[in-house]
Amino acid sequence: MDYDKLAELLFPSITKTPADIEAAFPKRMLPEGARVTRLGPSPTGFIHLGNLYGAFVDERLAHQSGGLFYLRIEDTDDKRYVEGAVDTVIDSLQYFGIHFDEGAGKDGETGNYGPYYQSRRGAIYQVFVKDLVRRGLAYPSFLSQEEITALRAAQEAAKEMPGIYGKYAKERGYSYEDIEQRLQKGMPFVIRLASSGSPDHPAQITVEDGIRGTLTMPENFQDVVILKTTGIPTYHFAHAVDDHLMGTTHVVRGEEWLSSLPIHVELFQKLGFPLPVYCHTSVLMKVDENGSKRKLSKRKDPELSLDYYKELGYHPRAVKEYLLTILNSDYEEWRIANPDTPWEDFPFTMEKMSSSGTLFDLDKLNDVSKDVLVKIPAASLADFLRTWAAAYRPELSDVLADEKLVKILDLGRDGKKPRKDLVCASQMFEFIKYFYDEYFVVEDAMPEETKGDEKKILEAYLASYDHSDDQSAWFEKIRGIATDLGYAAKPKDFKKHPEDYKGHVGHVSTVIRIALMGRSQSPDIWAIQQIMGEEQVRRRIETAAASL
């Protein structure tokens, strides 16, 4: 076979060579050891936790090493394309503080290694496909879908591996004339890789995975499709060409791609490209209602979508802090030793990443979020809450314009043991909504110990209330009301001699707390009243007393 002649027959309009393309994509000038990573999502419109998880690894590997992180849109499958999906990817990741140094953008592309949309790189791929044909490493295949389906059924019936390989790769033996005749008939064709692997006795290949260490697996022997009938490459081929030309040093992807690794190794070898470091992350798992671990599901688990966290109003810093706890096994230990150090200073390493299922735990996220939010200034939290409300709860915007919001969010956050009440924006509003009359509801019942005395307690409180009292004077008045009505002035007195009292001062203050906040648990009552103001306090107490 004259492969040069075949290459010209199949790709007459391709005049450039791989050397021409390489010259247009020179080696990046970066510091020694700098890593170049990329995110390559399909524009489906669905951006999920796994994307963020992987993007965070990409970002850390690149920026901790003085390298570069870029966005490439892998849109070779036009059936999956969703209008506006690229903006969704960029906006969602920006919300969580993930920014790209170059690549596809909302206002065009940035960088010298584009186009960053694979659908715009067709001529580039065909140069390399033509070169493989010219070197006898790829060939045209005219099998119809019906023929492939029938062949697969026969292979399955014979309990053989499905695919085009060995004796089933008959088209490898076609002569130039055989191929020319089919082209003259207008028969559509794909280009397949002429694999060097042995289907009968596949050799073992060894690959160093950035996360999993040394991997050993059988070589590829399938003649996989590298160029579709449309002239657009498959993912296998496109990513190999692009990662090489764009200077990608580390490829972070899910473990579901492990089975394709032999194909990718052979492609890089035949193309003459150095293999990037593949880093296969473990699948994200959760514990279901039955106590069993399973993979997070797009259909079953709303928390897989990044929109879930945006709509509930999780702070980006909290989500990133939590992701670090599941990305590196030593992060929590580091955080304890460095409580006030920026997370960016943590020495992230691939060696500390899990190679088995990574457990995602919403309860743990909430705990981490509480720790993170308590360190964010109340003024910043107020801005965050208002921004969230404008996007997801616009009816709250007027209420949250209240100048007292910063003081409300700062309640109980000072001192050596600050309260950790806040989790996310939606929960923040639920936690503070009692300050606003239009959202105030009584949620808890009065204590059993004060049954029959609630009205007397509230009337006495109202009669003695002086908004200018300091906290000590204020509480002494409550003690007085308690003792006057037969309650112990101190909880320990009631505990020692319960037969002598109806209850204790804490039960009396709970009546006041429920009248003001509608809840039996809240931050300090006196501090809350100082923010509410005398008029609102008296109105709440009067309303509660009148209802009894």
Side-chain angles (χ1 to χ4, degrees):
M1 170 74 79
D2 185 338
Y3 292 116
D4 282 320
K5 188 177 178 182
L6 176 61
E8 291 302 324
L9 177 66
L10 296 173
F11 300 99
S13 63
I14 299 298
T15 58
K16 290 185 177 181
T17 67
D20 296 327
I21 303 298
E22 295 268 8
F25 293 87
K27 185 178 179 180
R28 292 182 183 274
M29 301 303 293
L30 293 170
E32 184 71 25
R35 294 162 171 172
V36 178
T37 60
R38 50 80 170 167
L39 189 69
S42 298
T44 61
F46 182 72
I47 181 83
H48 57 76
L49 192 64
N51 298 130
L52 178 61
Y53 181 86
F56 201 8
V57 178
D58 283 319
E59 187 275 335
R60 288 291 79 202
L61 292 179
H63 293 157
Q64 280 192 166
S65 64
L68 182 142
F69 176 38
Y70 69 93
L71 176 64
R72 184 174 74 221
I73 304 302
E74 298 183 344
D75 58 345
T76 56
D77 186 352
D78 55 6
K79 294 177 182 177
R80 302 182 67 197
Y81 181 82
V82 174
E83 194 67 38
V86 175
D87 287 356
T88 298
V89 170
I90 294 171
D91 289 342
S92 295
L93 293 177
Q94 280 185 346
Y95 176 86
F96 293 101
I98 302 293
H99 302 280
F100 299 97
D101 301 305
E102 72 177 43
K106 295 176 68 174
D107 300 316
E109 299 184 353
T110 303
N112 300 320
Y113 291 80
Y116 295 91
Y117 288 78
Q118 288 186 331
S119 61
R120 302 173 188 172
R121 297 171 65 85
I124 294 174
Y125 303 128
Q126 290 185 25
V127 168
F128 288 95
V129 173
K130 181 176 181 178
D131 184 64
L132 289 179
V133 172
R134 184 186 62 78
R135 292 190 284 134
L137 301 177
Y139 63 93
S141 170
F142 298 89
L143 289 171
S144 67
Q145 189 57 53
E146 292 76 11
E147 289 173 313
I148 293 173
T149 301
L151 176 59
R152 180 174 289 114
Q155 289 171 329
E156 290 175 353
K159 297 184 178 180
E160 294 181 321
M161 174 77 72
I164 305 300
Y165 58 87
K167 63 183 179 181
Y168 297 111
K170 295 177 181 178
E171 290 171 304
R172 277 205 204 187
Y174 282 177
S175 66
Y176 179 88
E177 290 73 23
D178 291 332
I179 295 170
E180 186 177 38
Q181 287 175 9
R182 283 166 171 76
L183 291 176
Q184 288 173 350
K185 292 178 181 178
M187 292 177 67
F189 66 92
V190 299
I191 301 295
R192 291 185 180 274
L193 178 72
S195 175
S196 303
S198 168
D200 299 318
H201 304 286
Q204 295 291 300
I205 62 170
T206 300
V207 180
E208 290 298 319
D209 187 284
I211 296 172
R212 297 163 186 267
T214 303
L215 299 177
T216 302
M217 58 189 69
E219 67 181 343
N220 173 60
F221 57 80
Q222 296 271 3
D223 287 5
V224 295
V225 174
I226 58 174
L227 196 71
K228 294 180 276 191
T229 56
T230 57
I232 297 297
T234 58
Y235 167 79
H236 299 305
F237 190 78
H239 102 277
V241 172
D242 291 342
D243 281 340
H244 171 66
L245 294 178
M246 296 179 180
T248 310
T249 64
H250 289 67
V251 175
V252 179
R253 61 188 188 182
E255 65 179 27
E256 65 272 14
W257 287 103
L258 279 169
S259 61
S260 299
L261 189 54
I263 296 173
H264 299 159
V265 168
E266 184 172 14
L267 278 170
F268 272 88
Q269 289 174 341
K270 282 185 163 45
L271 287 164
F273 302 157
L275 194 69
V277 177
Y278 284 102
C279 311
H280 290 93
T281 59
S282 57
V283 67
L284 289 175
M285 311 281 285
K286 72 175 289 186
V287 176
D288 63 18
E289 57 278 5
N290 300 317
S292 301
K293 288 184 181 180
R294 64 168 174 79
K295 181 180 177 181
L296 277 173
S297 162
K298 179 179 177 180
R299 182 173 57 85
K300 296 178 181 178
D301 304 310
E303 66 267 34
L304 185 61
S305 170
L306 291 190
D307 285 342
Y308 176 87
Y309 305 94
K310 294 169 68 177
E311 289 168 8
L312 288 177
Y314 279 91
H315 199 285
R317 278 174 56 181
V319 174
K320 284 197 287 191
E321 188 85 8
Y322 173 67
L323 283 178
L324 279 167
T325 70
I326 61 175
L327 280 169
N328 265 195
S329 58
D330 58 341
Y331 181 76
E332 290 182 82
E333 182 180 338
W334 178 87
R335 174 51 78 203
I336 292 170
N338 303 273
D340 300 315
T341 304
W343 65 266
E344 291 91 341
D345 292 348
F346 171 68
F348 178 86
T349 61
M350 290 181 289
E351 291 77 13
K352 292 292 184 179
M353 292 184 67
S354 171
S355 59
S356 57
T358 298
L359 186 63
F360 184 81
D361 184 349
L362 270 176
D363 291 335
K364 180 71 177 292
L365 168 61
N366 291 339
D367 288 341
V368 169
S369 189
K370 289 177 182 179
D371 289 335
V372 170
L373 295 192
V374 78
K375 294 182 179 180
I376 296 177
S380 296
L381 284 183
D383 290 341
F384 175 70
L385 182 56
R386 287 167 177 148
T387 300
W388 169 82
Y392 297 102
R393 294 285 300 277
E395 72 278 9
L396 300 179
S397 294
D398 288 344
V399 170
L400 296 177
D402 178 11
E403 61 183 15
K404 296 184 293 187
L405 181 60
V406 175
K407 290 182 179 179
I408 292 171
L409 292 174
D410 216 21
L411 267 170
R413 284 159 45 97
D414 55 356
K416 292 183 178 179
K417 291 187 176 181
R419 292 180 63 98
K420 298 178 180 180
D421 295 312
L422 307 180
V423 177
C424 59
S426 55
Q427 178 270 344
M428 276 187 224
F429 181 73
E430 288 301 310
F431 187 74
I432 67 171
K433 69 180 183 181
Y434 59 80
F435 277 95
Y436 306 104
D437 290 340
E438 58 266 56
Y439 292 98
F440 172 69
V441 291
V442 176
E443 299 175 5
D444 295 333
M446 293 292 185
E448 281 293 319
E449 292 83 356
T450 62
K451 195 168 184 179
D453 284 341
E454 294 91 348
K455 191 177 185 73
K456 295 175 187 177
I457 292 170
L458 295 177
E459 287 175 344
Y461 184 70
L462 200 58
S464 67
Y465 185 74
D466 185 340
H467 195 68
S468 63
D469 284 342
D470 62 19
Q471 192 166 24
S472 178
W474 165 80
F475 193 64
E476 282 305 313
K477 288 182 178 180
I478 295 179
R479 284 188 193 277
I481 294 170
T483 56
D484 288 346
L485 293 174
Y487 295 84
K490 298 178 181 180
K492 65 179 182 180
D493 294 338
F494 175 66
K495 188 175 182 179
K496 286 182 180 179
H497 303 286
E499 70 279 1
D500 294 341
Y501 306 100
K502 297 177 181 178
H504 57 73
V505 66
H507 298 126
V508 172
S509 64
T510 297
V511 172
I512 298 166
R513 189 188 302 272
I514 291 172
L516 284 170
M517 279 78 79
R519 302 169 186 172
S520 58
Q521 300 290 327
S522 76
D524 181 71
I525 304 175
W526 180 84
I528 289 172
Q529 291 177 145
Q530 296 305 301
I531 296 173
M532 282 185 169
E534 183 173 5
E535 181 183 346
Q536 188 177 23
V537 170
R538 287 189 175 277
R539 187 170 65 250
R540 288 273 175 94
I541 299 297
E542 288 169 355
T543 300
S547 68
L548 295 168

